[in-house]
Amino acid sequence: MPYRVIQWATGSMGRTSLRRIIDHPDLELVGCYVYSADKAGRDAGELARRDPTGVIATDDIDAILALDADVVMHMPRITLPYDAMNANVARLLASGKNVISTAGFHYPPAQPDDHAAPLAAACAAGGVSLAGLGVNPGAIVERVTLAATGLCSRLDRIVINETVDASSMASPQFVFGLMGFGAAPDADITRGPLAAMYSALFSEVLYLAAAGLDDPVARIAPDHDVTIAPRTITLPAGTIAAGTVAATRWRWTATLTSGAEITLSILWTADPGLHPEDGRGHWTIDILGRPNIRLTVAIDEGDPAAPPSRALTDATVAVAIAGIPAVVAAPPGFFAYPAPPAFRARFPEHRR
């Protein structure tokens, strides 16, 4: 029997997921939730540029809750504040539907109890699991990096740098809202609501990686900065005036109980030429210890006519959809893939 799937949201990520669901021989689309009134009432196949499916998109959450489904592919744009989506996700879980999200929920135990407890209660009530899956968060640190630490006999520090070229992005809401481009330099977005939202999201990466290393987080220190546009920069999403923010770097260092450190740095830029020092690849991973391990990870598009962002969208959706069997089969609660054979200072039976 195919897995019965609901697609939640049909932006660029959601439309890609919708196509993968429709095309997949082991998945059956049974519902489609949309945010805009002009999409509601249309066949999901039309939204995905596929043949009609008979599934009509709706903006009525009660109609979605009434459906019989194994899993909801939850793919809205990340929102401010970080917990703004929790209430709807809790309702989906309590209705007996597993949820796989690309918009957070990667490791809710990293959050305060008033954030995580209602989600855990909803999982228990519905007998289902909640999973945050994707590339970063979701795979680069928690799976790829941890697996590479298994080559070490001593681990001192991990440094992960991500560089995202936003020069072809077309969404003004994302570029000027969630990325913070175009902000006045005295607005100090590195200390405001945007910083709080990203700290909540990416702290889950650090806590989950620490759990995989069996070395709890002792503290996390932020160190964010912005790059000011030296000239006017025109993007598909709009214009960044000279003297305003053209790049944001979100960076955190987690010090673990052993004293080892994990630094996660994410650079979003309107022009990669402003950062000649960040030219090694989309992700660079430096694992320092004995021996040192260095990785470069690039996710790119083979079709030169395709938008550059398509490759990362494809990869994120692929990770989420590949997780459906494991999430549906998991016991109720928060789902996370088991850590790969990572560096461990002690064997499990001799934990600190």
Side-chain angles (χ1 to χ4, degrees):
M1 292 289 291
Y3 294 98
R4 297 159 299 173
V5 184
I6 294 169
Q7 177 60 43
W8 182 285
T10 57
S12 59
M13 189 82 67
R15 284 195 306 274
T16 297
S17 178
L18 191 56
R19 295 182 190 112
R20 301 295 174 267
I21 295 165
I22 292 170
D23 295 345
H24 202 294
D26 300 320
L27 302 178
E28 177 188 356
L29 182 71
V30 297
C32 180
Y33 182 82
V34 294
Y35 285 94
S36 62
D38 65 325
K39 292 180 180 180
R42 295 165 65 184
D43 190 284
E46 179 188 356
L47 298 178
R49 297 181 182 175
R50 292 293 188 269
D51 292 336
T53 63
V55 174
I56 304 304
T58 180
D59 56 2
D60 180 0
I61 187 173
D62 290 322
I64 293 293
L65 294 171
L67 295 173
D68 184 15
D70 296 303
V71 63
V72 178
M73 305 306 291
H74 180 258
M75 299 182 177
R77 184 177 288 120
I78 294 174
T79 57
L80 284 166
Y82 180 56
D83 63 359
M85 297 175 289
N86 286 24
N88 281 341
V89 169
R91 293 183 70 188
L92 291 168
L93 294 165
S95 73
K97 299 170 184 59
N98 296 281
V99 174
I100 295 176
S101 181
T102 58
F105 308 102
H106 297 274
Y107 194 56
Q111 304 300 338
D113 192 57
D114 61 355
H115 177 111
L119 294 170
C123 288
V128 293
S129 295
L130 170 61
L133 299 179
V135 175
N136 186 37
I140 293 294
V141 180
E142 306 91 317
R143 298 169 74 181
V144 175
T145 302
L146 285 192
T149 67
L151 300 172
C152 296
S153 60
R154 189 190 75 240
L155 180 63
D156 300 328
R157 190 179 184 204
I158 301 170
V159 181
I160 304 103
N161 288 288
E162 176 180 1
T163 301
V164 177
D165 178 1
S167 61
S168 65
M169 292 185 178
S171 169
Q173 184 179 357
F174 191 81
V175 169
F176 295 100
L178 291 176
M179 284 190 158
F181 293 178
D186 59 358
D188 199 6
I189 61 172
T190 64
R191 295 179 183 272
L194 206 58
M197 186 267 285
Y198 286 124
S199 290
L201 172 63
F202 287 103
S203 68
E204 298 185 11
V205 175
L206 296 169
Y207 275 94
L208 186 52
L213 293 167
D214 191 29
D215 193 357
V217 171
R219 60 186 178 276
I220 296 177
D223 180 22
H224 312 314
D225 60 69
V226 301
T227 299
I228 302 303
R231 63 187 184 282
T232 297
I233 300 174
T234 302
L235 308 179
T239 299
I240 300 171
T244 65
V245 172
T248 52
R249 189 189 305 270
W250 307 99
R251 179 169 46 210
W252 303 266
T253 295
T255 301
L256 308 185
T257 301
S258 68
E261 293 182 339
I262 306 174
T263 295
L264 176 60
S265 176
I266 302 164
L267 171 67
W268 286 325
T269 180
D271 179 2
L274 299 174
H275 318 276
E277 73 282 3
D278 290 281
R280 273 176 55 194
H282 196 154
W283 285 278
T284 63
I285 302 165
D286 294 289
I287 302 168
L288 307 179
R290 183 169 182 176
N292 297 328
I293 312 294
R294 304 188 193 279
L295 307 175
T296 299
V297 180
I299 297 176
D300 55 34
E301 182 56 65
D303 179 359
S309 60
R310 190 176 78 175
L312 186 54
T313 298
D314 282 347
T316 301
V317 170
V319 172
I321 286 183
I324 289 175
V327 173
V328 172
F334 299 137
F335 175 89
Y337 280 110
F343 171 81
R344 293 291 181 92
R346 300 290 301 272
F347 295 138
E349 62 269 26
H350 297 291
R351 289 176 179 170
R352 290 175 296 277

